[in-house]
Amino acid sequence: MKIVVIGGGAGGASFAARMRRLDNKAEIIILEKTDETSIASCGLPYYIGEVIEDRSNMQVASPAFLKQLFDINVELNAEVDLINPQEKFVQTTDGRHFAYDKLVLATGTKPFIPPLEGLDKMPHFTVKSLADADKIKAYIAQNKPQRATVVGGGFIGVEVAENLCHLGIKTALVEMADQVLLPLDTDLALQVHKEMEKNGMELYLKDGLKLVEEGKLLLTSGKEIASDMLILAAGVRPETSLAEKAGIKLTDKGLIITNAYMQTNFDDIYACGDNVAVKDFVSGQPSMIALAGPANRQGRLIADHITNNHPYPYTGSQGTGIVKVFGLTAAFTGNNEKQLQRNNIPYEKMIILANSHAGYYPGAESMTLKVLYSHEGKIFGAQAVGKDGVDKRIDVIATIMRLNGTTADLRDAELCYAPPYSGAKDPVNLIGMAIENARQGLVKPYFGTTFDDMVVLDVRPPQIYAKEHIDGAINIPAGQIRSRLNELPKDKTIMVHCFKGYTSYVVARILLQNGFDKILSYAGGWNFYKSLTD
């Protein structure tokens, strides 16, 4: 069997290695149009920032390694310009033909470079390849720029901006949306913004780059940024022009359409990775989810299907991701509020603040955890921001989602506990309990920042209330609530808040069982409210 793979990134290399393990006799060749295969693309920002010092660590699997261990031939600088599905061969730009029995398209994406006037007047770079990173590092070493600007607030933009700051370069980040890291909802992204600004980064949100001049950038808002270099990280586009010319069906956004086994409309042509329209695990809609994990799994799946080795379908991508932002970590899985609203999916939400491990053990850090779910308890998505323990909570929730678990399963999950690692009630359990309380009608959470026509009841200690409180709030400490019920009106909505949301829930239960029926409890408490309003 002759197998040709176009693209030597995560999906293509993963397929080729799995294919060899399943079929030792197949002829496998990878055609890669650059001079790089299997680089650690997600590590590029850290290589630029010299967190990763050894360049060789950025090469996951070299052509020599693939040849020696797997007997896979890799042709570098071999750009394919023609696929002939009828005669089953591909042609490179230098006129070579490669026949195939099975063809795998793993062409990935290309950086989006906005059409900007004056772009040639400032050193500018993209961050897609190891060669790109080398150019950035060389420019910094030779020219020692004082100021840099990053356009784009996605994974790469945020990570590159952070690493430029680590190098001592004054860095600005420009993003057209009202927040960075769009998989997060704005209420959690605000914490990321504060962390970036706290570490000296300039944020220009709801703004775009209009004009490049020597030494400065003009934004659409009219603001100017002094800058010595420009990083363009404004997103990517699928690299599917080759597939389109071959008659392979694409979505209206240019993504390759496949079936559940990653086959295109030509049975012998498969596709995997960032160039493919995958099924969104929550909405079922075709989506572009450019992540290395799904690409690797898709490549493996194709090899199993070709060899009929217990073939199994690809069941969709959740978009589970994580990013380090200075001292914070932000992670997410599934859909956020904007996505659910766009797809007209009704949802509920819960937010809690919890400790990364037992509060009495030194070093506990607070995290904000948010879960979106249906009225019936189906989990739609989760997000978390904090300094420690964020990754494992989102990983647990992502796994429960993948297994079609419910919010009750969050409550019931049996997770590791010892004081240095968690509490007896893990944050996953706590948010599951909070959700089930809401679903059972034991409490009604509130998430807003305005309190019109509400009585705001602050149940924190008086000395804390005296330092800072919501305008117009009345203070009755939680321990006094039973003896002071007569001070509260029964004909008005009472919004109760404490530090993190637990004590206000307890007080809400007291009030609801004493004839008060218009009670709200502020989810996340004063600490979360402050993150939204400071």
Side-chain angles (χ1 to χ4, degrees):
M1 185 186 303
K2 293 182 178 180
I3 297 172
V4 174
V5 183
I6 303 178
S14 176
F15 160 76
R18 176 68 169 175
M19 187 69 203
R20 172 58 74 225
R21 293 192 296 269
L22 296 177
D23 185 341
N24 197 50
K25 295 182 178 180
E27 295 180 26
I28 305 173
I29 186 167
I30 296 175
L31 302 177
E32 169 56 49
K33 72 176 182 178
T34 71
D35 60 358
E36 303 172 0
T37 59
S38 290
I39 65 162
S41 300
C42 297
L44 292 174
Y46 303 101
Y47 173 59
I48 292 168
E50 299 183 353
V51 176
I52 299 171
E53 297 179 354
D54 189 343
R55 188 182 189 277
S56 66
N57 289 334
M58 299 300 295
Q59 181 80 63
V60 178
S62 67
F65 172 81
L66 291 170
K67 178 62 177 177
Q68 181 180 14
L69 184 61
F70 295 105
D71 192 25
I72 294 169
N73 295 311
V74 179
E75 292 277 348
L76 298 177
N77 300 304
E79 183 174 0
V80 176
D81 64 357
L82 174 69
I83 298 171
N84 187 322
Q86 289 74 33
E87 299 182 36
K88 298 178 72 170
F89 71 86
V90 303
Q91 175 183 288
T92 56
T93 52
D94 58 5
R96 290 181 292 164
H97 283 207
F98 295 86
Y100 67 82
D101 295 304
K102 304 291 182 183
L103 174 66
V104 177
L105 302 180
T107 47
T109 60
K110 55 187 175 183
F112 171 66
I113 301 178
L116 291 168
E117 184 181 347
L119 192 56
D120 59 339
K121 295 181 180 179
M122 181 176 294
H124 59 278
F125 309 88
T126 57
V127 188
K128 183 67 169 63
S129 66
L130 190 51
D132 291 338
D134 287 336
K135 290 175 185 176
I136 294 170
K137 287 172 68 70
Y139 177 80
I140 292 171
Q142 294 166 13
N143 297 277
K144 298 186 170 42
Q146 299 299 303
R147 297 184 64 93
T149 301
V150 177
V151 177
F155 285 96
I156 294 295
V158 168
E159 290 170 343
V160 169
E162 176 189 348
N163 279 278
L164 292 174
C165 287
H166 285 324
L167 293 175
I169 301 171
K170 183 68 177 177
T171 304
L173 187 146
V174 179
E175 168 57 51
M176 293 187 69
D178 61 357
Q179 65 169 86
V180 301
L181 300 176
L182 291 180
L184 290 176
D185 285 315
T186 305
D187 49 9
L188 269 70
L190 288 172
Q191 297 180 43
V192 176
H193 296 169
K194 290 171 187 174
E195 181 72 6
M196 296 168 83
E197 292 173 332
K198 185 180 78 173
N199 284 275
M201 193 182 300
E202 297 175 1
L203 281 183
Y204 296 85
L205 302 174
K206 293 192 290 187
D207 215 338
L209 189 54
K210 181 180 180 181
L211 178 65
V212 181
E213 297 182 352
E214 193 166 336
K216 67 178 181 180
L217 305 168
L218 179 64
L219 304 184
T220 53
S221 64
K223 296 176 182 176
E224 290 186 358
I225 305 175
S227 191
D228 302 314
M229 62 183 293
L230 178 62
I231 305 290
L232 298 171
V236 294
R237 300 292 184 268
E239 185 71 274
T240 54
S241 57
L242 184 63
E244 184 177 20
K245 286 191 296 182
I248 293 169
K249 291 182 179 179
L250 308 180
T251 68
D252 56 0
K253 294 184 178 179
L255 294 161
I256 296 173
I257 298 171
T258 70
N259 63 15
Y261 298 97
M262 312 310 296
Q263 287 174 295
T264 69
N265 50 303
F266 296 100
D267 289 348
D268 293 321
I269 302 179
Y270 294 75
C272 63
D274 301 347
N275 55 345
V276 173
V278 296
K279 182 177 74 172
D280 183 290
F281 187 78
V282 174
S283 69
Q285 298 298 311
S287 302
M288 180 180 180
I289 299 178
L291 294 169
N296 274 284
R297 293 194 299 277
Q298 291 160 17
R300 178 186 177 92
L301 179 156
I302 292 170
D304 284 40
H305 190 258
I306 289 175
T307 59
N308 199 30
N309 178 60
H310 306 286
Y312 58 96
Y314 190 72
T315 55
S317 293
Q318 292 166 248
T320 305
I322 191 166
V323 60
K324 173 186 174 296
V325 188
F326 296 100
L328 282 184
T329 298
F332 33 81
T333 188
N335 281 191
N336 58 27
E337 291 194 58
K338 295 181 287 290
Q339 290 170 297
L340 294 171
Q341 291 165 6
R342 190 162 56 241
N343 288 306
N344 297 311
I345 299 175
Y347 67 93
E348 309 287 343
K349 63 182 174 181
M350 183 58 69
I351 295 170
I352 66 166
L353 270 64
N355 286 329
S356 56
H357 60 249
Y360 58 82
Y361 187 89
E365 297 284 359
S366 179
M367 74 175 73
T368 305
L369 181 58
K370 177 177 183 177
V371 170
L372 305 172
Y373 60 97
S374 73
H375 180 72
E376 295 77 22
K378 179 179 179 181
I379 304 168
F380 290 142
Q383 304 161 40
V385 175
K387 292 185 177 181
D388 184 40
V390 164
D391 52 346
K392 67 178 180 179
R393 273 67 193 213
I394 293 299
D395 279 344
V396 167
I397 297 173
T399 302
I400 291 174
M401 280 183 66
R402 174 63 61 171
L403 298 174
N404 294 312
T406 67
T407 52
D409 293 307
L410 303 181
R411 177 196 64 195
D412 299 338
E414 188 170 337
L415 307 172
C416 292
Y417 162 60
Y421 303 103
S422 182
K425 297 176 183 176
D426 189 86
V428 171
N429 301 134
L430 289 173
I431 199 161
M433 293 172 182
I435 291 170
E436 291 306 294
N437 285 337
R439 292 186 62 228
Q440 294 164 15
L442 296 177
V443 66
K444 187 173 182 181
Y446 186 69
F447 307 94
T449 55
T450 57
F451 312 99
D452 298 339
D453 300 321
M454 295 182 190
V455 174
V456 178
L457 175 58
D458 186 331
V459 298
R460 299 175 300 161
Q463 63 271 25
I464 303 297
Y465 168 87
K467 290 180 180 179
E468 197 173 22
H469 58 264
I470 295 170
D471 288 345
I474 62 175
N475 179 227
I476 302 178
Q480 300 176 20
I481 198 71
R482 288 182 176 86
S483 62
R484 297 175 63 179
L485 292 174
N486 62 325
E487 298 179 30
L488 298 170
K490 290 188 175 181
D491 60 341
K492 291 187 176 181
T493 298
I494 299 175
M495 197 287 295
V496 190
H497 84 83
C498 60
F499 284 111
K500 292 185 175 182
Y502 174 71
T503 304
S504 62
Y505 162 62
V506 174
V507 170
R509 291 302 303 151
I510 293 170
L511 295 175
L512 286 165
Q513 293 176 84
N514 278 277
F516 296 84
D517 58 3
K518 299 177 181 179
I519 304 299
L520 302 174
S521 177
Y522 201 90
W526 172 261
N527 291 353
F528 184 64
Y529 169 78
K530 287 291 288 181
S531 75
L532 300 176
T533 56
D534 271 356

